[in-house]
Amino acid sequence: MPVTPLSPNALYRRCDPDQLGFATTAELEAGDALIPQERARHTIEFGIGIRHSGYNLFALGPSGTGKLALIRRTLEERATAEPVPSDWCYVFNFANAHRPRALRLPPGRGNTLRRDMEQLVTDLHRAIPGVFESDEYRTRSQALEEELEERQEQAMGALREMAKEKDVVLLQTPTGFTLAPIRNGKPLGPEEFHALPKKEQTRIEADIDALQAEMRKVMHQMPVWKKRSDEQIEELNREMAGGAVRSLIETLGERYQDLPAVVAYLDEVQADVVEHFRQFLPTQDKQPPFLAGWTPPNGDGPPWHHRYRINVLLGHDQNGGAPVVYADLPAHHQLVGRIEHRAHLGALETDFTMIRAGALHEANGGYLILDALKLLLQPFAWETLKRLLQAGEIRIESLAQITSLISTLSLEPEPIPLDVKVVMLGERHIYYLLCQLDPEFRELFKVAVDFDDELVRDPASALGYARFVAAEVHRAALRPFEAAAVAHVVEHGARLVDDNERLTSHMRSIGDLLREADYWAGASDHALVTAADVEQAIRARIERADRIARRLREETTRGTILIDTDGERIGQVNGLAVMALGDFAFGHPSRITARVRLGKGEVIDIEREVKLGGPLHTKGVLILQGFIAGRYALEHPLSLSASLVFEQTYGGVDGDSASSAELYALLSALAELPICQSLAVTGSVNQRGEIQAIGGVNEKIEGFYDTCAARGPVTGQGVLIPAANVKHLMLRADVREAAAAGRFAIYPVTTVDEGIELLTGMPAGTRGADGRWSPGSVNARVEARLVGFSERLRALRGGDTQAPPTAEPPR
């Protein structure tokens, strides 16, 4: 049966506003503006429900389909019923200041401990000076001082008595103690001493030497007595300080008896405070005499007033469930945290109070959402994430440490156990590349959440669109949409996927259309957004992006680009291609020509020969070569040499959607039958001669229509499309109107024979029982030409002086 043009109803599938069940979106409840993705939602629930290692999620699909919104909503619903994770604090490590310790506390207790320690330090500043100003301390310390003085005085007194018995006196001079002989209670001078008998002088000298020996013994004992006294005073100091500290810390420790780690930390604090109790005493001008002149030691670690602080790395409320964190900038330090520094006297210094949490800390015990592309673009971030997930702990390291760019000593905080479910968002090609290139990826992200690009178009999905419109109207404070406007939005959703049985799930595009339609409604002073406003938004969007399309049409009209839209030509056909520039795609016709001659059975693809043809286009040419070889002159060698080319194309050509057009041009050249130039062709072909579906059918049809309309009124032009593409038609209103008026036609074809009949106006023919094609048919003419080529080639190879006449096709 001859192929007839499609009816206008087949060119566009309308959405009936009356079937939506409302007059305006103001009647609808504003939902969460999410299009149903049931398969993805079930996968998400499985992924967050299974708690084994490696079952992290990767949500793959194009951006704008609502992946983040659906995942975040599902996670938050699940997280509210889960326990609140622990608080984590970093505290000073008294054994090694460069390795701060991590304390795990129940939710809400971290900030409580921080406040308690701040209060403890305040109380210590009051209590410790108080005990050293008490009467008890003064009495006991004074007793120790008096004991030392008494012991020293007794020793010196005994020495004086010994000297007195020997008529020697102990004198104290500015340079120390000295011994001198006396007579009649008065020391002897040198002249008086030398006036004494020699025997007396010798005795006195011997007595003085003996007394000096005793005096040296006493003087050697005095530092020992002083040291012992100082030790007793220090013991007293520690005893007094320990008493003040013990009572305060024991009282504090009673509040944390259920947390052994905190109790152990408080014990270390108590020992350290007693060891360094002087830090809590007044400045030197107000210190007690026994402490005057003391200065704080310059030890490792933070300033003393920071030593007992609590760095609450992560604190939670006692209610609220597990955290759900989205890291919009997943750099290395944003994930694992960082150690800040302060400038002091021209140098950078840090301590445990300057450790800051990262996204992994914030999400620990809950869920972390990451953008895959952003993560992969950050240096070392992907490798760091994998390493931490495999290790099951968070280690805070700077990039300088990892890359060994800095060798100075820095902090090494104690790692924190990691328990998080990671959800990564990304395009499909990123997921498949990671699967192929990174063997560790599949071990860590075992759950793939594949979002659908399209929705089945049915009343339920149309109502889902309406609810999405109502939600966007509420969220963005737009004007309410009439039912007809919502219906037009649904129709545009089908147009975006080039399928009248499907709707796009790319709701970002739909949301943009809604806001633009609201703008045009405001420009027209409409209280409600109408279907005309939606159509105006669509047209305005095209007008903003169609400069290249208009320029191509202008050059075609001016004759710069050669395209025939009427008349007939042998070996020439109008093929259709789609060009995409950003988010805008448009169709444009291209002249395809074929030339044939005697040869070695090859079809030369000029695009491939000059390296402008892509692999899919080359495949299409080889398929039509196989079709020719397998259909005609089966008992003769294929002695054809043919060339195919897209005229006036100066860029790459790819895809097989022009293979049927190339085949028609080749058949026309072989049969020497002209092709009607008022028809354009799209569709791929297989080796059996069947026409297969292609993409961009709406843009291709409209592109040829626009080219024809630019030259004047459209009268009798049309396009041949694969019959399999009829369900994809969502054509513009002007194209539909031209088709309804009979000025433009769309022909659905299923085979090459149907297409060649339309293009040449002659029957394609069928092969009879005798193996011959119908006389006068296109196929008969093609086969006769090929047989003639074969016979002539045989004659040339046989050395005949006169080649037999070529079998001419019947005319």
Side-chain angles (χ1 to χ4, degrees), residues 61 83 284 535 571 603:
Q284 294 186 17
E535 180 61 26
V603 177

Side-chain angles (χ1 to χ4, degrees), residues 649-665:
T649 58
Y650 307 101
V653 175
D654 201 6
D656 63 349
S657 64
S659 59
S660 66
E662 292 172 314
L663 180 55
Y664 294 141

